[in-house]
Amino acid sequence: MRKWITRSIFFYFLYGLLVYWYLFFFSGSGVPAPYEGTSADPSTFMSGRELLLSQEYSTIRNFLYFVTIPFEWFLLFICLITGFSRKMQQWSEATSKFFSLQSAIYFFWLSLFVTVVSFPVNWISYQISKSYQITTQTFSAWMKDEIIDFWVNYLLMTIIVIVLYWLIRRFEKRWWLYAWLLSIPFSFFLMFVQPVIIDPLYNDFYPLKNKELEEKILALADEANIPANHVYEVNMSEKTNALNAYVTGIGANSRIVLWDTTLNRLDEDEILFIMAHEMGHYVMKHIYIGIVGYLLLSLVGLYAINVLMRLIIKRAGSLLKISSIKELTAFPLFLLLLGVLIFASSPISNAVARYQEKSADMYAIEMTNNHEAAISSFQELSRAGLSQVNPPALVKIFRYTHPTMLERIVYLEEHKESVK
C-alpha cells in the first residue's frame, strides 16, 4: 500500500511540475503579430496594470484548475487503497439494516471526507479571486455558498447513489443501460426545476428594474419568436465583479437572466447584443442539442465505467479493498472513472460548445447589426474578468467552452468588413 501511495504522490507532483512549466514558462498568450494594434489586442483596451493582472490571474487560475482535477482522483484512490471506503461501508451497515439508508450514510461520510480535505484548495482559489478583486464575497458569504453546495450536491447525489446501487444489485449486467434510461427524465427534471428551486438558494432573482431596457430585450425576443414575458436580473455584484448573462431552464421555467454587474458596466447597445447572443442559443436549439450530446456521451461513459470497474476489480480488487461491483465501497472507483472520462471527453464537448457560441455570436450580430457594441462588450468582458484574450492551446482545449476573445473579436471584425 505504501508503495502505491508513494508512487501516486510522486507522479502527481511530477504532473504538477509539468503543468507549472507549461503555463508559466513554455506557453505564450500574446497576440499574434497580424493582430497587434487591432481591437483584438488587449493593449488597446486594457491599461498596463490590467494587462499584467490578467496574465497573472489567468495563469494562476489555469494552474489551479489543472492540478485540482487529478487531486480529486487522488483523494478517491487514497480512500480506496487505505481501506477507508470499506470502513465507511461498515459504519453504514452497523447503523441500519436498510440498504437505501446505508447508501445515504455511506455517501455522507464520503462527501464529508472529500469536502474537508479539498477545503484548503477551494479556500486558496477564493483568496486568489478576492486578491485580484474578481470575487467580492465576504468569507462568511462564501462559506454559506459552500455549505449550500455541499447539501444540494449531497441530496441529489444520494438519490443517484441509492437508485444506482439498486440497479447494480437488481440488474448486474445491464445496470448501466437502465441507469442511462432513468437519467433522461431526471436530467430534464433538474433543468426544469433549477431556475425556480436551486438557483434562488444562492442568489436573489427579480424582474429587470429597467423597464425601458426590458421592453427592448422583449422586442428582440419577439422578433426571434421566443415566448418570454420577463427578463430577470440577479444580484451578483455581492459576489463578483465579472460579467455574465444566460438563458436557463426549459419549458415554462425558462428564463433570460442578466447579472447586475453586466447592467452596471455595459451600455444599452452592448447589453442588447449580449441578449441577442443568448436568444441565438434558444433559436438554434442549442440547449436541446446539448442535452442530446450529453445523453449520448453518458451512455458511452456508463458502459465504459461498467467494463473498466469489472476489469479493475478483477485485477486489483485486493489492492483497492473491493471484492464486487455491488459493494458501496466500490463507489469511489465509480466516481474516479467518471471524473477521468469527463476530463478526457472535455476537448470534444468544449469544441462543440465553442462552435455553438460562435453561431450565437453571428446570430446576434445579424440581429443587432452593431459591430462596435459587440466588440466593445467582449473587450469589457475581458477587462472585468481579467481573462486572457489569447490563452495557451491546452487551456483553450480543456477549459474553454467559448471561443477565445481574440477569435470572437477577429471574426466580428471580418464580418464587419464583409458587409461594407
Side-chain angles (χ1 to χ4, degrees), residues 309-359:
M309 283 188 74
R310 294 181 187 281
L311 181 64
I312 291 171
I313 291 171
K314 182 178 179 180
R315 295 189 175 182
S318 58
L319 174 68
L320 300 176
K321 314 295 190 294
I322 306 171
S323 58
S324 170
I325 193 174
K326 297 179 180 181
E327 293 182 312
L328 282 171
T329 192
F331 190 58
L333 179 59
F334 176 92
L335 292 177
L336 195 160
L337 292 173
L338 178 64
V340 170
L341 290 175
I342 289 174
F343 182 73
S345 65
S346 61
I348 298 173
S349 58
N350 288 347
V352 173
R354 289 194 297 270
Y355 173 80
Q356 292 180 335
E357 293 296 335
K358 181 177 180 178
S359 300

Short mmCIF file of all heavy atoms in Angstrom, two decimals, residues 309-359:
data_model
loop_
_atom_site.label_atom_id
_atom_site.label_comp_id
_atom_site.label_asym_id
_atom_site.label_seq_id
_atom_site.Cartn_x
_atom_site.Cartn_y
_atom_site.Cartn_z
N MET A 309 -14.68 -0.95 -14.40
CA MET A 309 -14.80 -1.34 -13.00
C MET A 309 -14.62 -2.84 -12.82
O MET A 309 -13.92 -3.30 -11.92
CB MET A 309 -16.15 -0.90 -12.43
CG MET A 309 -16.25 0.58 -12.11
SD MET A 309 -17.77 1.04 -11.24
CE MET A 309 -17.43 0.37 -9.59
N ARG A 310 -15.25 -3.61 -13.68
CA ARG A 310 -15.12 -5.07 -13.59
C ARG A 310 -13.68 -5.52 -13.83
O ARG A 310 -13.17 -6.40 -13.14
CB ARG A 310 -16.07 -5.74 -14.58
CG ARG A 310 -17.54 -5.51 -14.26
CD ARG A 310 -18.45 -6.21 -15.25
NE ARG A 310 -19.83 -5.84 -15.02
CZ ARG A 310 -20.60 -6.33 -14.06
NH1 ARG A 310 -20.10 -7.24 -13.23
NH2 ARG A 310 -21.84 -5.94 -13.91
N LEU A 311 -13.04 -4.89 -14.81
CA LEU A 311 -11.67 -5.25 -15.13
C LEU A 311 -10.73 -4.88 -13.98
O LEU A 311 -9.86 -5.69 -13.58
CB LEU A 311 -11.24 -4.52 -16.41
CG LEU A 311 -9.83 -4.80 -16.92
CD1 LEU A 311 -9.70 -6.27 -17.32
CD2 LEU A 311 -9.52 -3.91 -18.12
N ILE A 312 -10.90 -3.68 -13.41
CA ILE A 312 -10.04 -3.23 -12.33
C ILE A 312 -10.25 -4.07 -11.07
O ILE A 312 -9.28 -4.44 -10.39
CB ILE A 312 -10.29 -1.73 -12.05
CG1 ILE A 312 -9.78 -0.89 -13.22
CG2 ILE A 312 -9.60 -1.29 -10.76
CD1 ILE A 312 -10.18 0.56 -13.15
N ILE A 313 -11.51 -4.36 -10.75
CA ILE A 313 -11.79 -5.16 -9.56
C ILE A 313 -11.22 -6.57 -9.71
O ILE A 313 -10.69 -7.16 -8.76
CB ILE A 313 -13.31 -5.21 -9.28
CG1 ILE A 313 -13.80 -3.83 -8.85
CG2 ILE A 313 -13.65 -6.24 -8.21
CD1 ILE A 313 -15.30 -3.70 -8.76
N LYS A 314 -11.28 -7.10 -10.92
CA LYS A 314 -10.74 -8.44 -11.18
C LYS A 314 -9.23 -8.48 -10.99
O LYS A 314 -8.68 -9.43 -10.43
CB LYS A 314 -11.12 -8.88 -12.59
CG LYS A 314 -10.65 -10.28 -12.95
CD LYS A 314 -11.09 -10.66 -14.37
CE LYS A 314 -10.59 -12.06 -14.73
NZ LYS A 314 -11.01 -12.44 -16.12
N ARG A 315 -8.56 -7.42 -11.45
CA ARG A 315 -7.09 -7.42 -11.44
C ARG A 315 -6.49 -6.77 -10.19
O ARG A 315 -5.38 -7.12 -9.79
CB ARG A 315 -6.57 -6.70 -12.68
CG ARG A 315 -6.91 -7.41 -13.98
CD ARG A 315 -6.19 -6.78 -15.16
NE ARG A 315 -6.43 -7.52 -16.39
CZ ARG A 315 -5.89 -7.22 -17.56
NH1 ARG A 315 -5.05 -6.19 -17.65
NH2 ARG A 315 -6.16 -7.94 -18.64
N ALA A 316 -7.20 -5.80 -9.60
CA ALA A 316 -6.61 -5.06 -8.46
C ALA A 316 -7.60 -4.90 -7.31
O ALA A 316 -7.46 -3.99 -6.50
CB ALA A 316 -6.13 -3.70 -8.93
N GLY A 317 -8.57 -5.80 -7.25
CA GLY A 317 -9.59 -5.70 -6.20
C GLY A 317 -9.00 -5.80 -4.80
O GLY A 317 -9.42 -5.07 -3.90
N SER A 318 -8.04 -6.67 -4.61
CA SER A 318 -7.45 -6.83 -3.27
C SER A 318 -6.68 -5.58 -2.86
O SER A 318 -6.71 -5.18 -1.69
CB SER A 318 -6.51 -8.05 -3.25
OG SER A 318 -5.48 -7.91 -4.22
N LEU A 319 -6.00 -4.95 -3.81
CA LEU A 319 -5.27 -3.72 -3.51
C LEU A 319 -6.22 -2.60 -3.13
O LEU A 319 -5.96 -1.84 -2.18
CB LEU A 319 -4.44 -3.31 -4.73
CG LEU A 319 -3.73 -1.96 -4.64
CD1 LEU A 319 -2.61 -2.01 -3.60
CD2 LEU A 319 -3.17 -1.55 -6.01
N LEU A 320 -7.36 -2.50 -3.84
CA LEU A 320 -8.32 -1.43 -3.61
C LEU A 320 -9.36 -1.77 -2.54
O LEU A 320 -10.25 -0.97 -2.27
CB LEU A 320 -9.03 -1.08 -4.93
CG LEU A 320 -8.13 -0.62 -6.07
CD1 LEU A 320 -8.94 -0.41 -7.34
CD2 LEU A 320 -7.39 0.66 -5.70
N LYS A 321 -9.25 -2.97 -1.97
CA LYS A 321 -10.18 -3.42 -0.92
C LYS A 321 -11.61 -3.53 -1.45
O LYS A 321 -12.58 -3.24 -0.75
CB LYS A 321 -10.14 -2.48 0.29
CG LYS A 321 -8.74 -2.08 0.77
CD LYS A 321 -7.96 -3.24 1.30
CE LYS A 321 -6.68 -2.81 2.00
NZ LYS A 321 -5.68 -2.19 1.11
N ILE A 322 -11.75 -3.98 -2.72
CA ILE A 322 -13.07 -4.16 -3.33
C ILE A 322 -13.18 -5.60 -3.81
O ILE A 322 -12.29 -6.12 -4.47
CB ILE A 322 -13.25 -3.24 -4.56
CG1 ILE A 322 -12.98 -1.78 -4.21
CG2 ILE A 322 -14.67 -3.37 -5.12
CD1 ILE A 322 -12.94 -0.87 -5.43
N SER A 323 -14.29 -6.24 -3.47
CA SER A 323 -14.49 -7.62 -3.92
C SER A 323 -15.59 -7.75 -4.97
O SER A 323 -15.67 -8.75 -5.67
CB SER A 323 -14.83 -8.53 -2.73
OG SER A 323 -15.98 -8.06 -2.06
N SER A 324 -16.46 -6.71 -5.07
CA SER A 324 -17.58 -6.80 -6.02
C SER A 324 -18.03 -5.40 -6.41
O SER A 324 -17.96 -4.45 -5.61
CB SER A 324 -18.75 -7.57 -5.41
OG SER A 324 -19.91 -7.46 -6.21
N ILE A 325 -18.54 -5.28 -7.62
CA ILE A 325 -19.08 -4.01 -8.09
C ILE A 325 -20.34 -3.63 -7.31
O ILE A 325 -20.75 -2.46 -7.28
CB ILE A 325 -19.39 -4.11 -9.60
CG1 ILE A 325 -19.64 -2.71 -10.20
CG2 ILE A 325 -20.57 -5.03 -9.87
CD1 ILE A 325 -19.81 -2.72 -11.70
N LYS A 326 -20.97 -4.63 -6.66
CA LYS A 326 -22.21 -4.38 -5.92
C LYS A 326 -21.99 -3.70 -4.59
O LYS A 326 -22.93 -3.21 -3.96
CB LYS A 326 -22.94 -5.71 -5.67
CG LYS A 326 -23.39 -6.43 -6.93
CD LYS A 326 -24.08 -7.73 -6.56
CE LYS A 326 -24.55 -8.48 -7.79
NZ LYS A 326 -25.24 -9.76 -7.42
N GLU A 327 -20.74 -3.64 -4.13
CA GLU A 327 -20.44 -3.07 -2.82
C GLU A 327 -20.44 -1.55 -2.86
O GLU A 327 -19.96 -0.95 -3.82
CB GLU A 327 -19.08 -3.55 -2.34
CG GLU A 327 -18.98 -5.02 -2.04
CD GLU A 327 -17.60 -5.39 -1.52
OE1 GLU A 327 -16.61 -4.96 -2.17
OE2 GLU A 327 -17.51 -6.05 -0.50
N LEU A 328 -20.91 -0.94 -1.80
CA LEU A 328 -20.82 0.52 -1.68
C LEU A 328 -19.37 0.99 -1.68
O LEU A 328 -19.06 2.08 -2.16
CB LEU A 328 -21.50 0.99 -0.39
CG LEU A 328 -23.03 1.06 -0.41
CD1 LEU A 328 -23.54 1.32 1.00
CD2 LEU A 328 -23.52 2.14 -1.37
N THR A 329 -18.50 0.14 -1.17
CA THR A 329 -17.09 0.53 -1.08
C THR A 329 -16.46 0.76 -2.45
O THR A 329 -15.40 1.37 -2.56
CB THR A 329 -16.30 -0.57 -0.33
OG1 THR A 329 -15.01 -0.07 -0.01
CG2 THR A 329 -16.16 -1.83 -1.15
N ALA A 330 -17.13 0.30 -3.52
CA ALA A 330 -16.62 0.48 -4.88
C ALA A 330 -17.02 1.84 -5.46
O ALA A 330 -16.55 2.20 -6.55
CB ALA A 330 -17.12 -0.63 -5.79
N PHE A 331 -17.85 2.60 -4.76
CA PHE A 331 -18.36 3.84 -5.33
C PHE A 331 -17.25 4.87 -5.62
O PHE A 331 -17.32 5.58 -6.64
CB PHE A 331 -19.43 4.46 -4.43
CG PHE A 331 -20.16 5.61 -5.07
CD1 PHE A 331 -20.84 5.44 -6.26
CD2 PHE A 331 -20.14 6.87 -4.49
CE1 PHE A 331 -21.51 6.51 -6.87
CE2 PHE A 331 -20.79 7.94 -5.08
CZ PHE A 331 -21.49 7.76 -6.27
N PRO A 332 -16.21 5.02 -4.77
CA PRO A 332 -15.13 5.94 -5.14
C PRO A 332 -14.47 5.58 -6.47
O PRO A 332 -14.04 6.48 -7.21
CB PRO A 332 -14.14 5.81 -3.98
CG PRO A 332 -14.99 5.43 -2.82
CD PRO A 332 -16.03 4.52 -3.39
N LEU A 333 -14.41 4.28 -6.79
CA LEU A 333 -13.86 3.87 -8.07
C LEU A 333 -14.77 4.34 -9.20
O LEU A 333 -14.29 4.80 -10.25
CB LEU A 333 -13.70 2.35 -8.12
CG LEU A 333 -13.16 1.76 -9.43
CD1 LEU A 333 -11.78 2.33 -9.76
CD2 LEU A 333 -13.10 0.24 -9.35
N PHE A 334 -16.07 4.23 -8.99
CA PHE A 334 -17.04 4.74 -9.97
C PHE A 334 -16.82 6.23 -10.21
O PHE A 334 -16.74 6.69 -11.35
CB PHE A 334 -18.47 4.48 -9.47
CG PHE A 334 -19.55 5.04 -10.36
CD1 PHE A 334 -20.11 4.27 -11.35
CD2 PHE A 334 -19.99 6.35 -10.20
CE1 PHE A 334 -21.11 4.79 -12.18
CE2 PHE A 334 -20.97 6.88 -11.02
CZ PHE A 334 -21.53 6.09 -12.00
N LEU A 335 -16.70 7.01 -9.13
CA LEU A 335 -16.51 8.45 -9.24
C LEU A 335 -15.17 8.80 -9.89
O LEU A 335 -15.07 9.74 -10.69
CB LEU A 335 -16.59 9.11 -7.86
CG LEU A 335 -17.95 9.09 -7.18
CD1 LEU A 335 -17.85 9.70 -5.78
CD2 LEU A 335 -19.00 9.84 -8.00
N LEU A 336 -14.13 8.03 -9.56
CA LEU A 336 -12.81 8.27 -10.14
C LEU A 336 -12.84 8.07 -11.65
O LEU A 336 -12.35 8.92 -12.41
CB LEU A 336 -11.80 7.33 -9.48
CG LEU A 336 -10.30 7.63 -9.67
CD1 LEU A 336 -9.48 6.92 -8.60
CD2 LEU A 336 -9.79 7.19 -11.04
N LEU A 337 -13.42 6.95 -12.09
CA LEU A 337 -13.51 6.67 -13.53
C LEU A 337 -14.39 7.70 -14.23
O LEU A 337 -14.08 8.13 -15.34
CB LEU A 337 -14.06 5.26 -13.75
CG LEU A 337 -13.13 4.12 -13.32
CD1 LEU A 337 -13.86 2.78 -13.43
CD2 LEU A 337 -11.87 4.10 -14.18
N LEU A 338 -15.48 8.09 -13.57
CA LEU A 338 -16.35 9.11 -14.15
C LEU A 338 -15.60 10.43 -14.35
O LEU A 338 -15.69 11.05 -15.41
CB LEU A 338 -17.56 9.34 -13.23
CG LEU A 338 -18.56 10.41 -13.67
CD1 LEU A 338 -19.22 10.02 -14.98
CD2 LEU A 338 -19.62 10.63 -12.58
N GLY A 339 -14.82 10.83 -13.34
CA GLY A 339 -14.05 12.07 -13.45
C GLY A 339 -13.02 12.01 -14.57
O GLY A 339 -12.86 12.97 -15.33
N VAL A 340 -12.34 10.88 -14.69
CA VAL A 340 -11.32 10.72 -15.74
C VAL A 340 -11.97 10.79 -17.13
O VAL A 340 -11.46 11.45 -18.04
CB VAL A 340 -10.56 9.39 -15.56
CG1 VAL A 340 -9.68 9.11 -16.77
CG2 VAL A 340 -9.72 9.43 -14.29
N LEU A 341 -13.11 10.11 -17.29
CA LEU A 341 -13.78 10.09 -18.59
C LEU A 341 -14.33 11.46 -18.96
O LEU A 341 -14.27 11.86 -20.13
CB LEU A 341 -14.91 9.05 -18.58
CG LEU A 341 -14.46 7.59 -18.53
CD1 LEU A 341 -15.66 6.67 -18.39
CD2 LEU A 341 -13.66 7.23 -19.78
N ILE A 342 -14.86 12.19 -17.98
CA ILE A 342 -15.36 13.54 -18.25
C ILE A 342 -14.22 14.44 -18.70
O ILE A 342 -14.34 15.21 -19.66
CB ILE A 342 -16.07 14.12 -17.00
CG1 ILE A 342 -17.40 13.40 -16.76
CG2 ILE A 342 -16.30 15.63 -17.17
CD1 ILE A 342 -18.09 13.81 -15.48
N PHE A 343 -13.09 14.36 -17.99
CA PHE A 343 -11.94 15.18 -18.35
C PHE A 343 -11.42 14.80 -19.74
O PHE A 343 -11.10 15.67 -20.55
CB PHE A 343 -10.83 15.01 -17.32
CG PHE A 343 -9.61 15.84 -17.59
CD1 PHE A 343 -9.64 17.22 -17.37
CD2 PHE A 343 -8.44 15.27 -18.07
CE1 PHE A 343 -8.52 18.01 -17.63
CE2 PHE A 343 -7.32 16.04 -18.33
CZ PHE A 343 -7.36 17.41 -18.10
N ALA A 344 -11.37 13.50 -20.02
CA ALA A 344 -10.86 13.03 -21.31
C ALA A 344 -11.77 13.45 -22.47
O ALA A 344 -11.29 13.69 -23.59
CB ALA A 344 -10.71 11.51 -21.30
N SER A 345 -13.07 13.54 -22.21
CA SER A 345 -14.02 13.91 -23.27
C SER A 345 -14.21 15.41 -23.39
O SER A 345 -14.87 15.89 -24.32
CB SER A 345 -15.37 13.23 -23.03
OG SER A 345 -15.97 13.72 -21.84
N SER A 346 -13.65 16.19 -22.44
CA SER A 346 -13.89 17.64 -22.44
C SER A 346 -13.40 18.34 -23.72
O SER A 346 -14.05 19.30 -24.15
CB SER A 346 -13.28 18.29 -21.20
OG SER A 346 -11.88 18.10 -21.14
N PRO A 347 -12.29 17.92 -24.36
CA PRO A 347 -11.93 18.58 -25.62
C PRO A 347 -13.02 18.49 -26.67
O PRO A 347 -13.24 19.45 -27.43
CB PRO A 347 -10.66 17.84 -26.05
CG PRO A 347 -10.05 17.35 -24.78
CD PRO A 347 -11.23 16.97 -23.93
N ILE A 348 -13.73 17.35 -26.71
CA ILE A 348 -14.80 17.19 -27.70
C ILE A 348 -16.00 18.06 -27.34
O ILE A 348 -16.51 18.81 -28.17
CB ILE A 348 -15.23 15.71 -27.78
CG1 ILE A 348 -14.05 14.84 -28.24
CG2 ILE A 348 -16.42 15.55 -28.74
CD1 ILE A 348 -14.33 13.35 -28.18
N SER A 349 -16.47 17.96 -26.08
CA SER A 349 -17.64 18.74 -25.67
C SER A 349 -17.35 20.23 -25.73
O SER A 349 -18.22 21.03 -26.10
CB SER A 349 -18.07 18.32 -24.26
OG SER A 349 -17.02 18.49 -23.33
N ASN A 350 -16.13 20.63 -25.39
CA ASN A 350 -15.77 22.05 -25.46
C ASN A 350 -15.74 22.55 -26.90
O ASN A 350 -16.14 23.69 -27.18
CB ASN A 350 -14.42 22.29 -24.80
CG ASN A 350 -14.46 22.17 -23.29
OD1 ASN A 350 -15.53 22.13 -22.70
ND2 ASN A 350 -13.31 22.09 -22.67
N ALA A 351 -15.25 21.72 -27.81
CA ALA A 351 -15.20 22.12 -29.22
C ALA A 351 -16.60 22.34 -29.77
O ALA A 351 -16.86 23.30 -30.52
CB ALA A 351 -14.46 21.07 -30.04
N VAL A 352 -17.53 21.45 -29.42
CA VAL A 352 -18.92 21.60 -29.84
C VAL A 352 -19.51 22.88 -29.26
O VAL A 352 -20.19 23.65 -29.95
CB VAL A 352 -19.76 20.39 -29.43
CG1 VAL A 352 -21.24 20.62 -29.72
CG2 VAL A 352 -19.28 19.13 -30.15
N ALA A 353 -19.24 23.13 -27.96
CA ALA A 353 -19.76 24.33 -27.30
C ALA A 353 -19.20 25.59 -27.95
O ALA A 353 -19.93 26.57 -28.15
CB ALA A 353 -19.41 24.29 -25.81
N ARG A 354 -17.92 25.58 -28.31
CA ARG A 354 -17.32 26.76 -28.95
C ARG A 354 -17.96 27.03 -30.31
O ARG A 354 -18.17 28.19 -30.69
CB ARG A 354 -15.80 26.59 -29.09
CG ARG A 354 -15.05 26.68 -27.77
CD ARG A 354 -13.56 26.86 -28.00
NE ARG A 354 -12.95 25.72 -28.67
CZ ARG A 354 -12.43 24.66 -28.08
NH1 ARG A 354 -12.49 24.56 -26.75
NH2 ARG A 354 -11.89 23.69 -28.77
N TYR A 355 -18.28 25.96 -31.03
CA TYR A 355 -18.96 26.13 -32.33
C TYR A 355 -20.34 26.76 -32.12
O TYR A 355 -20.74 27.67 -32.86
CB TYR A 355 -19.09 24.77 -33.02
CG TYR A 355 -19.92 24.82 -34.28
CD1 TYR A 355 -19.36 25.27 -35.47
CD2 TYR A 355 -21.26 24.44 -34.27
CE1 TYR A 355 -20.12 25.33 -36.64
CE2 TYR A 355 -22.03 24.50 -35.42
CZ TYR A 355 -21.46 24.95 -36.59
OH TYR A 355 -22.21 25.02 -37.74
N GLN A 356 -21.05 26.30 -31.10
CA GLN A 356 -22.37 26.86 -30.81
C GLN A 356 -22.28 28.32 -30.39
O GLN A 356 -23.12 29.15 -30.79
CB GLN A 356 -23.06 26.04 -29.72
CG GLN A 356 -23.45 24.64 -30.16
CD GLN A 356 -24.14 23.86 -29.05
OE1 GLN A 356 -23.95 24.14 -27.86
NE2 GLN A 356 -24.95 22.89 -29.43
N GLU A 357 -21.26 28.65 -29.60
CA GLU A 357 -21.09 30.04 -29.16
C GLU A 357 -20.78 30.95 -30.34
O GLU A 357 -21.29 32.08 -30.40
CB GLU A 357 -19.97 30.13 -28.12
CG GLU A 357 -20.27 29.44 -26.80
CD GLU A 357 -21.44 30.07 -26.05
OE1 GLU A 357 -21.71 31.27 -26.28
OE2 GLU A 357 -22.09 29.36 -25.27
N LYS A 358 -19.98 30.49 -31.28
CA LYS A 358 -19.70 31.30 -32.46
C LYS A 358 -20.97 31.50 -33.27
O LYS A 358 -21.24 32.61 -33.77
CB LYS A 358 -18.61 30.64 -33.33
CG LYS A 358 -18.29 31.46 -34.57
CD LYS A 358 -17.18 30.86 -35.40
CE LYS A 358 -16.90 31.73 -36.63
NZ LYS A 358 -15.79 31.21 -37.47
N SER A 359 -21.77 30.44 -33.40
CA SER A 359 -23.04 30.55 -34.12
C SER A 359 -23.95 31.58 -33.46
O SER A 359 -24.62 32.36 -34.15
CB SER A 359 -23.74 29.19 -34.17
OG SER A 359 -22.95 28.23 -34.84
#
